[in-house]
Amino acid sequence: MIRVSYSGSMVRKLEHVIIKHPRDAFISQEHLRNEWKRFNYIEEPNYEEVLDEFNQFLTILENHVAHIDYLPVSKQTGLDSIYAHDPVKFTKEGAIILKSGKELRQPEAKVYKQFLQEKNIPIIGELTGEAVSDAGDIVWLDNRTLAVGRGYRTNDEAIRQLKEITAHLVDEFIVVQLPHDQGEDECLHLMSIISMVDHDLAVVHSRLMPVFFRQLLLKRGINLIEVPEKEYLTLGCNVLALEPRVCLIVSGNNETKRKLEAAGATVFEYKGIEISYKGTGGPTCLTCPVIRN
């Protein structure tokens, strides 16, 4: 067993990450053409441009992260498996295997579990029965405070099981009721409306945030950077912290970038039209943090 402290943080320096290469998820232009509507993408991605965008994204990641693992190609998984964040959530003791609220994504958990076992990465729990949850609904506010979004992708039974699995790791477990917004078929995670950039800094879209949760963040001394509506739609609220106040966003979200820099953050950008916008998965979705130092 690997003797390390795993990731119970959203902002500490990213040391080890799991991703999936688009050639192993999107496969080909023909595969995208046949599958993008079934997976509810905004448009059909252009495969060659996807590869170019991913290379740009990967270059930034490689400059900041010491250890990058790649999920394998699998006939059991579909296009969304490129968004490697969602099938598992890491705690400081290891991974929790989830079961996606999007039925098409549920086979990913089995593949992920086998992958972690082969890598000797510990698994501390697994959702069972009727429980469904995506990791995009699970946010570490600090290493002893866990916020979980209750919406279409995470149900009450999952919250009950997550609370039980993490009981010895968490002092405060916060359930955040998510809005209907654009409906059951759209992807609205808790991480759609908040990204932690530092222990005291978060990017948020307050219009979709419950009042109690916004007030709680402010009471905890977390400064909130508001993402404008236009940039929320282009994934401006989806910000990956590479380390405290060093982050990665989809290019074109200029107002969000300006506000981040004004708060003392260093901001890296990648073009994410094909790989992120069309599948509604930004840099946090593309990465599963395993170890944050």
Side-chain angles (χ1 to χ4, degrees), residues 2-9 12 89-96 121-122 124 140 142-146 166 168-171 289-292:
I2 300 172
R3 301 295 181 184
V4 297
S5 180
Y6 291 88
S7 182
S9 168
R12 290 178 180 172
K89 194 71 176 189
F90 273 87
T91 72
K92 66 181 179 180
E93 292 185 355
I96 302 171
I121 294 173
I124 69 162
W140 291 100
D142 61 41
N143 65 349
R144 299 290 301 184
T145 306
L146 193 61
T166 62
H168 65 297
L169 299 170
V170 171
D171 294 328
V290 179
I291 297 172
R292 286 184 180 273

Side-chain angles (χ1 to χ4, degrees), residues 25 69 87 148 157 178 200 221 232:
D69 274 329
V148 180
E157 177 58 17
L178 297 178
D200 61 352
Y232 171 75

Side-chain angles (χ1 to χ4, degrees), residues 1 5 9-10 23-24 44 64 76 81 109 119 156 164 185 199 214 230-231 237 239 254 257 262 291:
M1 193 68 69
S5 180
S9 168
M10 312 298 291
R23 64 173 174 255
D24 296 326
E44 177 185 338
H64 291 85
Q76 297 179 63
S81 62
K119 295 287 184 179
D156 292 329
E164 188 176 89
D185 291 335
H199 299 92
R214 190 175 188 279
K230 182 179 179 181
E231 295 189 7
C237 204
V239 181
N254 297 327
K257 180 183 179 183
I291 297 172

Side-chain angles (χ1 to χ4, degrees), residues 7-43:
S7 182
S9 168
M10 312 298 291
V11 300
R12 290 178 180 172
K13 180 170 174 51
L14 190 54
E15 299 282 0
H16 181 183
V17 70
I18 296 170
I19 60 176
K20 189 166 186 177
H21 201 287
R23 64 173 174 255
D24 296 326
F26 288 176
I27 311 297
S28 67
Q29 192 65 58
E30 181 181 9
H31 189 68
L32 283 167
R33 188 172 300 119
N34 293 334
E35 294 289 301
W36 73 271
K37 289 182 181 177
R38 189 163 76 99
F39 279 86
N40 201 33
Y41 280 35
I42 293 170
E43 294 178 29

Side-chain angles (χ1 to χ4, degrees), residues 249-262:
I249 67 172
V250 176
S251 62
N253 294 297
N254 297 327
E255 182 65 12
T256 303
K257 180 183 179 183
R258 183 191 66 78
K259 290 179 179 179
L260 278 164
E261 290 177 337

